[in-house]
Structure formats: structure tokens, C-alpha cells
Amino acid sequence: MSKDSRRLPTDAKLLKEAESRLYGDPSSPAEVADASRLLYELQVHQIELKLQNEQLINITNTAEIAAASFTDLYNFAPVGYVTLNLKGDITRSNFAAAKLLDMARSRLQGARLAAFVAQKDLLKFNNLLSPSNIHDIQPGCEIELAGTLEKTVQMDISFDDNNLEYRLVLTDISERKKAEIKLQLAASVFSHSHEGIMITDASGTIIEVNDTFSQITGLTRIEVLGKNSDILKSDNQSPEFYEARQHTLLEKSYWYGEMWNKRKDGEVYLEMQAISAVRDITGKTQHYVSLFTDITKSKANQQQLEHAANYDSLTNLPNRVLLADRLPISLIQCQRHLKMLAVVYIDLDGFKQVNDTYGHDMGDKLLISISQHMKDALRECDTLARIGGDEFVAVLDDLETPNDCKPILKRLLKATSETIALGDVLLNVSASMGVAISPKNGSNADLLIREADKAMYVAKESGKNRYHFFDEHASTETKILYENLNAVRHALTQDQFLLHYQPKINMSTLKVVGMEALIRWKHPKKGLLEPSQFLPFIENNPIRIELGAWIINRVLAQISQWNEQGLDLPVSVNVAAYQLHDKHFYEQLTTALGAHQNVQPGQLELEILETSGLDRMTQVSALISDCKKLGVNFSLDDFGTGYSSLSHLKNLPADSLKIDQSFVQDMLTNPDDLAIVQGIISLAEVFGRSVIAEGVESEAHANKLLSMNCKIGQGFGIARPMPPDDLPAWVKSWHASPIWKA
């Protein structure tokens, strides 16, 4: 805008008058002076107008900047702004409103806002725009939008009297509504749950409980808030129980199990409880949430059902089901302790006549009375079961010899033959008993019962009221086996076993690289016995586990002694399949290693027969892996003699293979043995295992093995097994002058 265009009409008039007086023909000096004055006033006025014009420009610029800022704030506000005309049509909107309504801003112009409101909230929306309400301050209301967006907005509305338009603010509260619903649901679950719920802080102080908690415990919310959860403890759990529970919570953030708690009135009840630890983002425990149900009645019902399933309803004796559970356990215990067990099959003589004469009620009373008499005749460790009708089975544990059960059998005969008075009736029956002895007659529960049943019929046919042993005169083989088992047990307790050690060498460098521990029995009558003379008798007996543990401990003690003497060599020990499958093997090995602190686990190598793991491949493989984590090495002994397969070699994580001496000894003259040896060495190379050859009888054997890339060997050509005291001197002598033996 030019300065001339901003002049007012008064300015032009003054200018024209001043110019006419200055440049016209002045009449007098006074007129000239008057014209000069007018011109001066005009100049002053022009300066004032210029200043005013600059102020106006600044104000206009500020207003334009403010308008632009307002437009930006309006357009990019985080809430939706919508302006409606009196018909409800959208005349203006911002980007947030367009996003909420899911339509481009340009398309919103002229659209009816009501079209975006869900049908159920349309009446509420129309009431907002009611002419009767337009001058009132309307509180915000929640409106659900139409379509598939499932959005809820809060609408705040005002009316512009000047422009006759509605101005609405739309705030998206969808997430808040969802959160409110979740909170309401959680609150509803908390309040209406059939499980008691207790929330504590990290120290166990109770901060919230639900109604079911109060129903179960009898304690109100007011009574427990701020109290420690220990107020519920009963005396039925030991301190160790609570320590174990807390340890599990710290380790796993969760505990689940049964526990006894106490109600307000002191009554103890059984509950099934689940406790979860609630941690913050740093992993620190903030709260514990405990859910529990009272299972006192259901547990009692369960016990009643279990009792009904396992006990005879008439005599309350164990039934056939419980007998089938207990008998195998008793057999295992007796085998482990080298004791005998007797299974006694009892059939009452003359009971049918009692039933026929006096009726079943009288017969039932007789059975109850006789059952009690027989229980009184047994020892505390024995079991009496009713398996049906008038038939019973007694299990007599912890017997040294078959004769040990005879006094008990006589007491049973007396108990069943005593006259019993039931009211005015005197009843008298007897019993025929068959006896089967384990291990003499076998170690299978069903077999022993069948054998005792057969023996019972012999007793009944022989005149009743007596007992008969099944196969009373045991076979010679059974007697020998039992005698050998007792002899080995006695030898172990009398410290008659000892270990000899056979060196292993690197046949290339002739350096001693280890040795194998081999057991010997210093028999008081038969002299020094080789393993083949006694181990076969105990291979599948618990005593093999005891002997194996003794060997490992003795070897570790010997390694410790040699370490102190400066002789650092690994020692291998044979481990039997029976020992390897024992569930306590890993624990016992860990304990043994811990008892010898100066022995490195790598100084111990366990040799397992190739066939040991075939029936339990997964279990044995896992056990080897666990033991190797301790540092213990493993090798497959006598490789090639069992039912070998690539899968066994692949799945058993042994460090080395030991070629059986039967192949090595004859490989120089037998092409088949040579081929087997070569094949085993090749397999070892393929699977990344080292290989050891047993049966190296000469230097020629050693050279042949070296040519096939087998470097480690042991055998009589190097040295025979020797007592541990002789070994240090032999090692020194061998290193000084290796001499192969013929």
C-alpha cells in the first residue's frame, strides 16, 4: 500500500490550499506567512500519519502470525475439533477429527456428523444438538462411533451465538474404556471368584483379600489388612516346608501344592494353594498373589475312595490291588538287603459249611474275627491281605532262611484253628497254607503267588490245617547262587576285595598314559580269585551296586595317594549295567569326587560294556552327559562283542572305544579278527573317538596296531595287572628301559 493511497481527504485539502497560497499571487506578506504555517502543520501531520501507518502494519503482521499459529494448533491438535452449522453439517475439522472419523478431511466438509455416530448413541447425540440446550453448558458425554473401528469418543460441545454454529471437541477414549472394562472384569473376578485370593507385599504383609478368603478363613478383610500372612499358619507344616516353598518362589516365581492352614476359630484345614510372585521390570519381587481352595472335604473323600479301592470292605485288610503294589516293593527291599521273603497263600478249611449252616452274616463275622487273629499272629513288618472269599495272602519280610518263617506259620495255624464264639454259637475252622520263598522260588510277585497257591492245594490234599513249601528242596543251582551272594556280601564287609592295576601305554612314544583298575577277591580258602569267578553271580543283584561304589571310592583314594607321590595318571574303572541304571549313581559319583579334593575328575574314566546301554539308550546317554559335565571321562569297553550299531556309537557320548582283547590277540593270524580291529578303528576315527586296544601280547601286536593308527594299548606284552604299591616302581623302570614281554 503506497503512502499517497493512505492519505486522508483532509490532507489533500490542506495541501491544495497551501500550494495555492505559496505559488499563486500572494496579496500580502500575511498571506505568505499563513501559507507557510499551513505547510508546516501539514508536514507534522504527515509524520504522525506515517507513524500510525507503521503501527498498523506491525499489528497486522502480528495478527497474521497469530492466525497462522492458531490454524496450526487447530489443525494438529491431539484432539478432534469439529464445527457444525445449525443443520449438523460439518463446516470445519482438523486432522485428529478426520482420523477419528476415518475419512479424509476434504471429504468431511459438508458431511453430517450424525452419520458417524453409532445407532445406539444417536439419540444421546441429537439431544446434545437440541435447540433447547444450545445456550446451556453441556457436560461432555461418551459417544460410540459407527463402523468397524470400535472407537469411543468424549464429545464436549459449545454454541457460537455470533456465527450460529456448534463447536465440538472429540477426545478418543477407546483405550481408556478398554482398560476400564479390563479393570471391571478383574475386579469382578477378584470379588466373585470361588477361590480365596490374598495379595501381600514382598514381606508377606496382607494388602488385599476377596470375599471367598473371608468365607474360608473366617477372617474379615479389616481383620487381616496390614497383618502378616503368617497369621494363617498351622503347626502341621515344618519350618523346612516353608523354607522349601520360599526357595521355589525365589527360583521359579511360582509355587503350587497342598498345605495346612488355620481358620480364625483355630480349626486346621487343608488347602490347595498357588502362589505367584509379581516382579517389577528389574526383576525385584513387589507382591505375592495367592489363590487357594479348601480341599479338606474333597481330600477326605479322596482318601475314602482310595481306601475303598485298596482295602477289603469287610475285614479292612489290604485287598488284591494293594497287595499287587506292596509285594513287588517288598521283593526289591529283600533283594537289596540279601534277605528272603515268604508268600503265604491261606485258604480256610470248613468255611463253606459255616456259611451253609449259619448264613452269610455269621460267615462274615467269622471272617472278621479270624482276620484279626491272623493279624495279631504276624510281625509288624508283615502284610496280610484278603484276596477274596475265604482266601488270604500273607507276605513275610526280612527272613534270613526259609526256616525263619516257620514260627510265624505255626502262629497263623493256631490263630485260624482257635474256637471262636459268636453269640451262642461256637465255630471252629482251620487253614491250609502254601508257602513260596523268594529268591528261592523266584522274584516275580505273580509267580510267587501262583506257586504259593499250588503249595496250598498240596497242604489241603495232605490233610488240611497245615502248611506246605513250594519246591521245598531247592535246585542245586539256586543254592549255589544264594551261597555265592552271601559269600560276596561277607567278603565286602570283611574287606577281602582288592584292586590290581594294569598300565596303558602310548605304543608310539612308549609313554605310560594311564591304567585300568581290576578287582580281585582274596578268598580265605580259594586264594586270589579273578573277576570272572564271582562277578557273574551278582551282575543283576543290588550287591553289584555296593561293590561298584566300593571300587570307585578305592580308586579315587589310590589316585589321591599317587598324586601326593607325584604320579599323575588317569585310571579307568569298569561299571556294570546294573550299577549304571541305579538312580543314585550320579549322586554317589559326585559325593565320591567331592571326598577326594586333590583328585581331578578327569583322572577318572568309567568303562561301560557296549551292551550296558542298549535297553535304556536315552537314560544312559543322559547319565553319561551329566557325568562328563563333572569332568569324568567315559569309554565303551569290549567294543565289538555286543550288538553294535552305528546308532549306539552315535548316541552314547563316550570319549573312546576299547577293542576287545579277543580280536586283538588273534589278529596277527586271523584275517577276520584283523578286519574287525581295522573296522573298529575306522569307526572311531569317523565318530571322533579315540581307540584303545586290549590284549596287546607282543611288540608285533603293537606294531600292527600302530600301522592301523591305534596308538594306545594294554596287555600282558606290556605288563600284567599288579598291586598298587608295585606300580610307581614299574612306571619308573618302564620309562627308563621299555621291555616288551613275550
Side-chain angles (χ1 to χ4, degrees), residues 120-141:
K120 68 183 188 67
D121 285 346
L122 201 53
L123 180 60
K124 188 196 305 185
F125 172 75
N126 289 333
N127 286 336
L128 277 178
L129 304 184
S130 172
S132 61
N133 295 329
I134 61 176
H135 295 295
D136 298 332
I137 298 175
Q138 296 297 313
C141 68

Side-chain angles (χ1 to χ4, degrees), residues 544-578:
R544 184 65 178 89
I545 297 174
E546 295 182 43
L547 184 59
W550 177 88
I551 293 173
I552 290 176
N553 279 286
R554 184 60 62 92
V555 165
L556 290 172
Q558 187 61 64
I559 294 174
S560 176
Q561 182 180 336
W562 282 333
N563 283 345
E564 293 174 356
Q565 298 172 2
L567 185 63
D568 180 7
L569 290 172
V571 179
S572 60
V573 177
N574 287 289
V575 181
Y578 198 93

